[in-house]
Amino acid sequence: MPCYGADPSPLQDYCIADLSSDIYLNGYPCKNPDNVTADDFFYEGFINDTRQFDADGMKASGAHVDYFPAVNTLGVAMIQIQLLKGGVAAPHTHPRATEMLLLMKGKVIAGFITTDNILFYKTMTPKMLVVIPQALVHFVYNVGEGRALLYAGYNSQQPATQYMAHALFNSTPSVPDGVLTRSFRVNDSIVELIKSSLSVPLFPDIMSNTSSGSVRLK
């Protein structure tokens, strides 16, 4: 029998996430409906984005459940991505969601790699859209002359993000060096060089990398 997985369907019109609740479950409990206002359904994080660009020349603002509680139980999320000239959204995955990526400004190369290790990529210009299947490794690289602006939509309230380089070379505790040297066919000094270059945490942490969507982000 085939099996299918997705966020559960909502059982009421809305369930504004109560992020302060001490109850842990698959998602978040609902805020008291008597305390819900119109402001709960509107998000201004893309307008008031004060984040700094990270070491890869990227900054992003996430409208997923941890920052936009109104999407709780609705199975949707969105992020705004900005890339400096030459900036990159390094190879990563979203374990819980398919992604629709829309380029609004600039020129980028976007691509994903299948489980057969086939790369599909293309140079994108404004208003082009690409779909990235759930959990596949993908990247975005700004090849334009200025900043690039993109918006990504997901079919999950908390898609999660896992960057390949940091997962392998900057985990806690560390992946044993022997695993990395054998897997990448390099010596210990190369592994340690890569680890040292990734010792600075990714910034911003716009999406939880945890196995549970109920874990709070700081």
Side-chain angles (χ1 to χ4, degrees):
M1 296 291 292
C3 295
Y4 302 93
D7 285 0
S9 298
L11 300 178
Q12 60 279 316
D13 288 346
Y14 58 84
C15 174
I16 307 298
D18 182 359
L19 302 182
S20 64
S21 174
D22 292 328
I23 300 173
Y24 283 78
L25 42 77
N26 186 21
Y28 291 97
C30 302
K31 180 179 179 179
N32 187 332
D34 293 337
N35 298 327
V36 173
T37 69
D39 288 341
D40 287 308
F41 298 97
F42 293 84
Y43 179 76
E44 298 181 356
F46 295 160
I47 302 171
N48 304 316
D49 184 7
T50 59
R51 299 175 184 273
Q52 302 298 312
F53 285 92
D54 65 15
D56 293 330
M58 181 189 82
K59 73 172 180 175
S61 178
H64 57 76
V65 68
D66 293 290
Y67 292 105
F68 190 23
V71 303
N72 191 40
T73 76
L74 300 182
V76 293
M78 179 176 284
I79 65 171
Q80 175 182 265
I81 305 162
Q82 297 182 66
L83 295 171
L84 295 174
K85 180 179 179 180
V88 62
H92 62 281
T93 71
H94 302 296
R96 307 180 195 128
T98 293
E99 177 177 343
M100 294 278 281
L101 184 65
L102 173 66
L103 177 64
M104 294 299 296
K105 178 183 178 182
K107 181 180 179 182
V108 302
I109 293 175
F112 64 88
I113 303 166
T114 71
T115 54
D116 293 322
N117 293 324
I118 297 173
L119 171 63
F120 291 98
Y121 75 98
K122 194 168 186 177
T123 300
M124 297 178 64
T125 53
K127 298 188 179 181
M128 284 184 66
L129 184 71
V130 59
V131 61
I132 299 166
Q134 181 171 340
L136 293 188
V137 176
H138 58 285
F139 60 87
V140 184
Y141 176 40
N142 184 2
V143 294
E145 293 302 315
R147 292 189 184 184
L149 174 65
L150 306 98
Y151 290 90
Y154 306 89
N155 63 333
S156 171
Q157 67 184 38
Q158 176 46 283
T161 301
Q162 185 172 43
Y163 286 88
M164 300 298 97
H166 283 261
L168 292 170
F169 293 94
N170 198 28
S171 65
T172 303
S174 297
V175 175
D177 284 358
V179 173
L180 298 173
T181 56
R182 290 296 297 270
S183 299
F184 288 91
R185 314 301 197 265
V186 296
N187 58 38
D188 290 343
S189 62
I190 299 297
V191 168
E192 293 306 316
L193 177 63
I194 296 173
K195 284 185 175 181
S196 65
S197 71
L198 295 173
S199 60
V200 178
L202 278 174
F203 182 83
D205 182 13
I206 60 163
M207 292 197 177
S208 169
N209 297 329
T210 63
S211 59
S212 170
S214 64
V215 174
R216 280 53 168 161
L217 290 184
K218 302 297 183 182

